[in-house]
Amino acid sequence: MNILLWHVHGSWTTSFVHGKHRYLVPATPDRGPYGLGRARTYTWPNSAAEVSPEQLRDTDVDVVVLQRPEELELAQRWLGRRPGRDVPAIYVEHNTPKDGDVPHSRHPMADRDDLLVAHVTAFNELFWDTGATRTTVVDHGIVPPAVEYTGELDRLAVVINEPVRRWRVTGTDLLPRFAEIAPLDVFGLKVAGLADHLGLPADRLTSHDDVPQHRMHAELARRRAYLHLCRWTSLGLSLIEAMSIGMPVVALASTEAVMAVPPEAGALDTRVEELLEAAGRFVAEPQQARLAGQAARTAARERYGLARFLADWDRLLEEEVCG
């Protein structure tokens, strides 16, 4: 199939474009949010092809994969066809509701008969009210990182995008407490200057801003354990990637993380004191960290394998496009 989708979430799209289809990714001269084109810091296959808005009107498209409400109008304007009417459409919901009305949050695609909402976690489906719109869940899948856990550095790794702006959502406010246990390495977008913002000395928190995915994986693998402190998020793919590498996990027991992290894979709790104790234990006892990491790796690869993810999507696309 020819699938039109925007480059919105790098990790998820990286997995999605590893399927057997042709993926049309809009690219604009400014490489803005609606025309990023192919990824620069992720490895994508050649089947993911850039296409300009002008080219789309004369391009065969079998299905549109939407990820933001405004893409409905944009797709209609660029294609000259109405998503959901003239061409099948699937709306992928990556996020938990953030409208302040949980658990009554109405989804922007609620009460529509012209598309399907595909949630990336069952938690998302549970908390969004989509009314009469059909929904399904396709659990995440990841391209397996090409590195193995060593845990040689008695440091803790964190992956957060925009930790200052998102603050309590990503658990940024909790980082200083963990920096007392061990030095932190924070990877992600807009993490530069985070130590200063938190009032931490440079030797307690090091920022690694917008590191290419393969390099980030190699660096994560050297850290003793992985911190996942998000209070309210769908399910960070970096968490699954860290588990797949073989890292033990210290995570807040919130949203879908409680389904992704089995107890033997590390520590999962809503009590921060318990997580601090677990982080200290992993730092002090490398062998215990390694054993927990092995359990994390097994769990991640069994539940979030790329082959299962792509097979689920193939079945869904077949149903929606071919009926």
Side-chain angles (χ1 to χ4, degrees):
M1 298 182 189
N2 288 333
I3 302 172
L4 171 64
L5 80 157
W6 278 262
H7 175 188
V8 179
H9 297 280
S11 291
W12 182 88
T13 311
T14 296
S15 296
F16 189 74
V17 300
H18 271 78
K20 63 184 181 182
H21 308 286
R22 182 167 178 252
Y23 306 91
L24 306 173
V25 185
T28 56
D30 64 351
R31 299 279 167 172
Y34 301 99
L36 279 175
R38 285 175 55 89
R40 307 289 180 88
T41 57
Y42 296 84
T43 301
W44 285 9
N46 292 332
S47 55
E50 291 188 352
V51 59
S52 70
E54 294 76 21
Q55 291 172 315
L56 278 172
R57 190 166 287 264
D58 299 315
T59 299
D60 289 333
V61 173
D62 295 300
V63 59
V64 180
V65 172
L66 306 160
Q67 299 168 81
R68 295 167 291 190
E70 58 271 26
E71 290 175 2
L72 265 173
E73 186 277 329
L74 198 60
Q76 179 171 340
R77 179 152 46 90
W78 287 0
L79 287 170
R81 285 159 277 176
R82 295 171 300 170
R85 300 297 183 190
D86 304 320
V87 58
I90 300 172
Y91 188 101
V92 178
E93 182 50 74
H94 294 278
N95 301 311
T96 46
K98 295 181 176 65
D99 61 357
D101 198 30
V102 175
H104 308 291
S105 303
R106 290 281 288 175
H107 195 275
M109 297 297 121
D111 291 327
R112 299 184 69 108
D113 62 2
D114 56 350
L115 53 76
L116 171 78
V117 173
H119 293 282
V120 298
T121 68
F123 187 92
N124 281 11
E125 186 181 48
L126 180 66
F127 272 78
W128 276 113
D129 175 9
T130 52
T133 306
R134 293 179 301 127
T135 67
T136 190
V137 177
V138 180
D139 280 322
H140 283 304
I142 62 166
V143 178
V147 295
E148 299 286 338
Y149 173 75
T150 65
E152 65 205 71
L153 302 178
D154 53 359
R155 302 171 67 90
L156 302 172
V158 191
V159 179
I160 307 175
N161 288 330
E162 300 189 66
V164 175
R165 179 183 67 83
R166 298 168 72 197
W167 201 246
R168 284 181 57 85
V169 169
T170 54
T172 307
D173 59 303
L174 302 175
L175 291 177
R177 298 177 67 179
F178 286 88
E180 295 177 8
I181 303 296
L184 306 181
D185 287 289
V186 182
F187 299 82
L189 299 174
K190 298 184 179 179
V191 298
L194 182 58
D196 288 341
H197 196 89
L198 291 168
L200 291 173
D203 64 342
R204 303 310 294 177
L205 188 151
T206 303
S207 294
H208 306 265
D209 199 75
D210 199 15
V211 177
Q213 188 186 44
H214 68 281
R215 279 178 41 206
M216 182 184 77
H217 287 163
E219 292 301 323
L220 289 177
R222 301 178 63 210
R223 273 67 186 173
R224 187 66 48 79
Y226 183 82
L227 286 182
H228 180 73
L229 302 177
C230 292
R231 287 183 173 89
W232 187 250
T233 187
S234 180
L235 180 62
L237 280 169
S238 56
L239 168 64
I240 302 171
E241 290 164 0
M243 292 172 64
S244 186
I245 288 169
M247 299 186 73
V249 171
V250 176
L252 281 176
S254 57
T255 65
E256 189 76 5
V258 298
M259 302 301 295
V261 183
E264 62 272 18
L268 190 70
D269 212 305
T270 55
R271 294 166 294 184
V272 177
E273 293 77 11
E274 293 295 320
L275 298 182
L276 290 166
E277 191 277 331
R281 187 171 64 250
F282 287 141
V283 170
E285 302 178 25
Q287 184 57 27
Q288 189 176 122
R290 182 172 293 279
L291 289 174
Q294 289 171 355
R297 176 187 172 95
T298 298
R301 299 209 171 193
E302 285 182 354
R303 177 161 186 172
Y304 300 105
L306 183 64
R308 189 275 311 155
F309 172 78
L310 294 175
D312 286 354
W313 266 105
D314 282 346
R315 283 191 292 271
L316 184 59
L317 290 165
E318 183 79 16
E319 292 169 1
E320 293 303 304
V321 176
C322 302

